[in-house]
Amino acid sequence: MTSITHIPRWMVTLAVMALLIGSVTPAQGQDINTSISAAGKQPEAGIVARVYYGTRDNLDLLASSLDIWEVNQTEGYLVAWLSPGETNRLEQAGYLVVIDALQTERLNTMLDALAAQSLESLPGFACYRTVEETYSALTNLASAHANLAELIDIGDSWDKVTAGGPAGYDLFALRLTNENFGVVDEKPTFFLMAEIHARELVTAEAATRFAELLLSSYGSDADITWLLDYYRIYIVAMTNPDGRKLAETGLYWRKNTNNTDGCVVENAYGVDLNRNHSFHWGGASTDPCDATYQGATAASEPETQVIQDYVLTILADQRGTADTDAAPADTTGLFISLHSHGGLILWPWGWTDSDAPNHSQLQTLGRRMAYFNDYTPSQAYELYLTTGTSDDWAYGTLGVAAYTFEMGDTFFQDCASFEGSIWPDNRDALLYAFKTARQPYLDPSGPRTLGVGVNPALIAPGQAVTLTATANDGLFYPNTGTGTEPTQAISAARYSIDAPSWIAGTTYPMTPADGNFNNSLEAIQATIDTTLLAPGRHTIFVEAQDANGYWGVPSAAFLDIGHYAFQLTVENDHLSANPGEQVTYTLTLTNSGALPDSYDLAVISGWNTDTPSSLGPLNPGDSTNIEILIEIPSPPLASSSDEALVTLTSWGDSTQTRSLTLTTTAVRQTYLPLIQR
Ligand code: 0X9
Ligand code: ZN
């Protein structure tokens, strides 16, 4: 769907307006009391058209059955895919229907473009992996990251549980967390699902890439590392794989593939899984051919049951049973369902125009996430009335923060815009969202911390470190005009070492760089005393608080405390030569520590030596040769051999010394001429 009114975005999205078909009588102010039936609909045919709906009540009525792609409330029209029968009925009811020639053409050519191609890939859409390609990617991730990723078979699709027809699929959740750290079942939880609607191609790919990003960045990105240590995320990339498989043939398939509810129109069957959830189920279409058919009963579909049952095992119920019961402020858990399209971030309720009891908290996080993708944040009902959606179910049943992202601006989104903006923008929104999973109704009210830097980032033990960052209570979208989130001055900032504040217990204050906490954007700083920190990698967590008392989510950076170590070797430690000659030993010095170092060299020998007295600086991993010259005295010799003790001492850590012995022998043959004489 696209757009809600006050947003300029969709004012440009609608393409070429072409011929006007049918009645030109505007429907403004007109009510109809019958649903527009989809009987006779042929999804691969029909038109994409603007329907000028008149009143808000008409919009909600039409939304219960039509396949709506966009809504422009400012201009009072929706864009829907209409069968010939639907078009007729709308016109007979007095609605103005205006064909969108470009989108209609695109709809009708999509099938042709893909029909000739292999179903194993999506030609022309190389950025989107098929069901099979996605499943094999998820399998590979789990086997390549044994301690971080687990692929969990959470149940079966409709085709899989139904005899005859296609084989169907398993539904998988990929769980990501450091399994060797903390108690996995007690970690704050983010549930991310995609592809509940089959044709919404960008969603499964974005979810899969998010998993890949988290796993590939663990250990190198400080934020992703702590997130996977302390939190867990479940990613269901393909909620509706049966339907997705049909979409991969070029059909604009939306629903699952249940064809047993009485729809006899070709390619029009299926249950809209996003109308089938069991919270306030029952306000969407009862026509099994409709795009928004709600199913025979609440949670009638296997996919719905699988998602609901699984989510109930990983997210706790924290809300009362009345619609008006608010979940507590410290509710934990985040639920996001990825959809396309329209550039929206939606939160409950969708089933009523009343505010959800946690409306303002849902709005605050919605506006924070929207900062990253510039999507319009709003209550779902503002788009149109929906019942049985997954986000209403998650929030309504459990009280967790629940959202729908409507990504991109079309179903078969071109790869250039997916790669160029849709993926990177939503990646960043999801990363921020993940950080809020512990306290989604509190943390987004607090400032963000950005640009956390430790200088130097690699230090010698005990060396002081300067910590800098910025704290920003702004960074919401929209940030001008109506719908703007209020911001406050920063009132405090702090850091903790090796664990976020709520785990570490001990925190250290940071100060404003300009001397005063009086602005919503402040540069903050501290000097970290590292004397008690062991060598190795440490994580520094930075948080800031606003004048309303809210602490934001942390941002982290790595601090490496180096250690000094080196190796000293010699290939040949026994050499001989004639009296009066020199021997040269070649030693190899390798800095095997984590810090640059220099070294003192001392040689204790009964004979004369020529050596450098110091070496370096040498970077970690680097080697250098040391030449040690020993002069064999001319006769008469006190002794025919000498043992030289070579000792190297690290400048960085004087307890680090290495020694070796060089044995030099005078060649006896030197005396032979004397004997002969
Ligand atoms: O109609 C839907 O299911 C969603 N739009 S889509 O184009 N992807 O089909 C919007 C649902 C909005 N309502 C809630 N999220 N509650
Ligand atoms: Zn959708």
Side-chain angles (χ1 to χ4, degrees):
M1 302 291 99
T2 281
S3 358
I4 301 188
T5 7
H6 36 276
I7 317 321
R9 175 179 302 273
W10 27 274
M11 300 174 109
V12 295
T13 56
L14 241 218
V16 178
M17 294 280 298
L19 69 146
L20 219 63
I21 54 172
S23 162
V24 292
T25 309
Q28 262 77 2
Q30 180 173 351
D31 270 327
I32 57 170
N33 53 17
T34 55
S35 166
I36 302 299
S37 163
K41 180 167 177 177
Q42 295 175 327
E44 72 278 22
I47 59 169
V48 182
R50 288 186 180 184
V51 178
Y52 287 85
Y53 54 77
T55 67
R56 170 70 204 213
D57 282 353
N58 286 351
L59 170 63
D60 288 342
L61 181 63
L62 296 174
S64 74
S65 67
L66 292 184
D67 190 351
I68 298 178
W69 291 7
E70 303 176 13
V71 180
N72 184 327
Q73 291 183 356
T74 303
E75 297 186 24
Y77 65 82
L78 57 83
V79 177
W81 177 17
L82 304 174
S83 67
E86 284 170 327
T87 306
N88 283 340
R89 274 179 290 280
L90 284 166
E91 288 171 349
Q92 276 160 21
Y95 289 93
L96 171 64
V97 178
V98 182
I99 191 170
D100 180 328
L102 186 67
Q103 295 218 58
T104 300
E105 162 77 4
R106 206 185 278 156
L107 174 74
N108 290 319
T109 54
M110 186 62 70
L111 188 58
D112 298 343
L114 295 187
Q117 312 282 347
S118 154
L119 303 189
E120 292 306 311
S121 63
L122 280 168
F125 298 95
C127 55
Y128 307 121
R129 283 167 279 193
T130 62
V131 177
E132 285 75 13
E133 289 168 339
T134 302
Y135 278 11
S136 90
L138 298 176
T139 304
N140 292 342
L141 286 177
S143 59
H145 302 272
N147 301 323
L148 290 174
E150 189 181 335
L151 190 60
I152 304 163
D153 179 351
I154 59 172
D156 297 336
S157 70
W158 188 87
D159 274 324
K160 185 149 186 191
V161 298
T162 307
Y169 295 92
D170 292 321
L171 268 56
F172 289 108
L174 183 69
R175 186 192 71 184
L176 307 183
T177 190
N178 181 352
E179 293 160 26
N180 297 330
F181 189 93
V183 183
V184 168
D185 288 341
E186 293 174 2
K187 295 182 184 182
T189 302
F190 177 14
F191 183 83
L192 176 66
M193 57 184 274
E195 199 68 29
I196 191 173
H197 285 147
R199 62 196 173 188
E200 299 173 5
L201 302 186
V202 299
T203 65
E205 186 60 31
T208 306
R209 291 200 187 187
F210 194 57
E212 291 169 336
L213 170 75
L214 294 174
L215 289 171
S216 66
S217 307
Y218 183 86
S220 59
D221 180 284
D223 279 316
I224 288 173
T225 305
W226 76 256
L227 279 166
L228 291 186
D229 282 342
Y230 291 93
Y231 295 0
R232 57 181 185 167
I233 180 173
Y234 291 84
I235 298 174
V236 179
M238 293 279 179
T239 304
N240 176 13
D242 295 346
R244 168 59 184 256
K245 211 59 214 162
L246 295 178
E248 287 170 16
T249 69
L251 291 172
Y252 273 48
W253 202 272
R254 168 182 172 94
K255 303 186 284 179
N256 79 350
T257 58
N258 180 349
N259 59 5
T260 61
D261 281 4
C263 175
V264 294
V265 179
E266 189 192 4
N267 288 338
Y269 56 88
V271 174
D272 183 354
L273 298 173
N274 209 33
R275 299 292 182 277
N276 188 239
H277 287 70
S278 55
F279 184 82
H280 276 283
W281 176 86
S285 175
T286 55
D287 181 336
C289 292
D290 272 355
T292 54
Y293 172 53
Q294 63 188 1
T297 57
S300 56
E301 302 311 293
E303 295 86 355
T304 311
Q305 291 162 20
V306 167
I307 294 293
Q308 291 190 176
D309 289 351
Y310 196 70
V311 168
L312 289 176
T313 69
I314 59 167
L315 290 171
D317 179 8
Q318 296 149 87
R319 203 181 74 85
T321 48
D323 289 336
T324 50
D325 287 339
D330 64 354
T331 293
T332 188
L334 176 65
F335 177 106
I336 295 180
S337 181
L338 300 180
H339 286 252
S340 69
H341 52 91
L344 302 171
I345 290 182
L346 305 173
W347 57 85
W349 303 117
W351 68 274
T352 172
D353 66 347
S354 301
D355 283 358
N358 295 94
H359 178 89
S360 76
Q361 296 150 317
L362 289 163
Q363 177 171 271
T364 300
L365 174 51
R367 289 171 173 174
R368 276 249 183 259
M369 295 188 292
Y371 169 81
F372 298 93
N373 53 22
D374 286 358
Y375 290 175
T376 301
S378 85
Q379 181 185 343
Y381 177 84
E382 285 186 43
L383 181 63
Y384 47 72
L385 188 146
T386 49
T387 56
T389 59
S390 55
D391 52 358
D392 272 14
W393 174 83
Y395 172 72
T397 306
L398 302 169
V400 299
Y403 295 85
T404 291
F405 282 19
E406 294 283 359
M407 305 160 73
D409 53 19
T410 186
F411 295 123
F412 283 70
Q413 186 86 44
D414 64 287
C415 285
S417 51
F418 178 75
E419 302 288 4
S421 59
I422 294 172
W423 160 239
D425 292 352
N426 284 286
R427 170 196 69 200
D428 294 347
L430 293 173
L431 273 175
Y432 174 78
F434 193 4
K435 286 189 178 182
T436 72
R438 189 178 75 97
Q439 297 190 145
Y441 297 147
L442 290 173
D443 297 348
S445 290
R448 288 183 48 206
T449 42
L450 298 98
V452 177
V454 288
N455 190 19
L458 170 64
I459 57 160
Q463 188 183 343
V465 166
T466 303
L467 174 64
T468 53
T470 57
N472 195 339
D473 202 47
L475 308 179
F476 294 97
Y477 184 83
N479 53 18
T480 54
T482 51
T484 306
E485 187 76 7
T487 62
Q488 297 80 38
I490 306 300
S491 62
R494 65 188 180 193
Y495 71 92
S496 57
I497 302 177
D498 288 336
S501 60
W502 60 94
I503 305 275
T506 307
T507 61
Y508 306 91
M510 296 180 72
T511 55
D514 64 5
N516 270 313
F517 276 134
N518 55 4
N519 205 296
S520 65
L521 170 61
E522 294 277 0
I524 54 177
Q525 62 192 24
T527 300
I528 303 177
D529 175 359
T530 67
T531 47
L532 293 178
L533 297 182
R537 171 154 282 189
H538 295 272
T539 306
I540 309 299
F541 295 78
V542 174
E543 297 169 354
Q545 185 186 39
D546 70 15
N548 282 354
Y550 289 101
W551 287 95
V553 295
S555 294
F558 286 134
L559 168 63
D560 289 311
I561 301 188
H563 65 288
Y564 296 99
F566 65 94
Q567 288 163 356
L568 183 63
T569 57
V570 60
E571 212 159 281
N572 187 357
D573 60 0
H574 283 71
L575 292 177
S576 56
N578 295 317
E581 293 179 351
Q582 291 176 342
V583 294
T584 303
Y585 293 90
T586 304
L587 281 54
T588 304
L589 164 65
T590 303
N591 182 347
S592 57
L595 292 164
D597 203 0
S598 296
Y599 309 85
D600 280 333
L601 175 68
V603 180
I604 300 171
S605 164
W607 294 349
N608 288 340
T609 61
D610 185 6
T611 66
S613 61
S614 67
L615 293 142
L618 205 57
N619 284 322
D622 284 0
S623 296
T624 188
N625 284 340
I626 311 169
E627 298 210 325
I628 298 198
L629 271 62
I630 298 186
E631 202 176 294
I632 302 172
S634 293
L637 287 174
S639 140
S640 63
S641 74
D642 172 75
E643 291 198 341
L645 180 66
V646 180
T647 302
L648 247 73
T649 304
S650 154
W651 287 15
D653 176 358
S654 61
T655 68
Q656 296 285 326
T657 63
R658 305 282 184 277
S659 295
L660 46 82
T661 304
L662 306 174
T663 306
T664 312
T665 308
V667 178
R668 299 177 107 192
Q669 198 183 348
T670 312
Y671 298 101
L672 285 175
L674 292 175
I675 294 165
Q676 283 168 353
R677 197 158 29 133

